[in-house]
Amino acid sequence: MKEDAPRSLTQHPDIVSRPIGEELVAYHPDSQQAYLLTPKAAQVYRDVESLTVSDLESAQGTELEEVLSELVQHKLVLPENELTRRRFLGSVGKVAAAGVFLTTVALPTPAAAQSGAMTISFTTAGTFSQGVPAGAT
């Protein structure tokens, strides 16, 4: 990040994230939700703190604004001030309603996790795969 450039967005400090190839899984402990970020969203998430106010102003109407709107909507990225928050949440309905850059993954409840059976529900359409290690039941 450029030292003389003010920033407007920061990663939520409690998010736990792990890369899966070019994608990223981010777990938000407050909402107890996991999100699968596309390669584009994963890159923006990793680089969000290097974006300057000028970068954000020039992002209006671009794919970058769409990605940032989704990240702000799901509180993976936090605005530094209310004006920035309103701007990105205001664009959520216009550009990010489809959830193109991240998928919410419903995690099993603790009781379901103890049952030995695992069910994962996706809230958006798409093709997904789940690997099961050899010998697992």
Side-chain angles (χ1 to χ4, degrees), residues 78-109:
L78 301 174
E80 297 273 322
N81 60 56
E82 186 62 22
L83 184 62
T84 304
R85 181 182 162 282
R86 273 192 238 133
R87 175 178 167 229
F88 283 106
L89 289 178
S91 53
V92 165
K94 295 183 283 187
V95 294
V100 209
F101 297 102
L102 61 97
T103 301
T104 304
V105 180
L107 300 174
T109 62

Side-chain angles (χ1 to χ4, degrees), residues 9 66-79 84-89 92 102:
L9 298 169
E66 294 176 33
V67 174
L68 289 170
S69 293
E70 283 194 59
L71 294 172
V72 169
Q73 177 187 15
H74 294 285
K75 298 180 182 164
L76 299 175
V77 168
L78 301 174
T84 304
R85 181 182 162 282
R86 273 192 238 133
R87 175 178 167 229
F88 283 106
L89 289 178
V92 165
L102 61 97

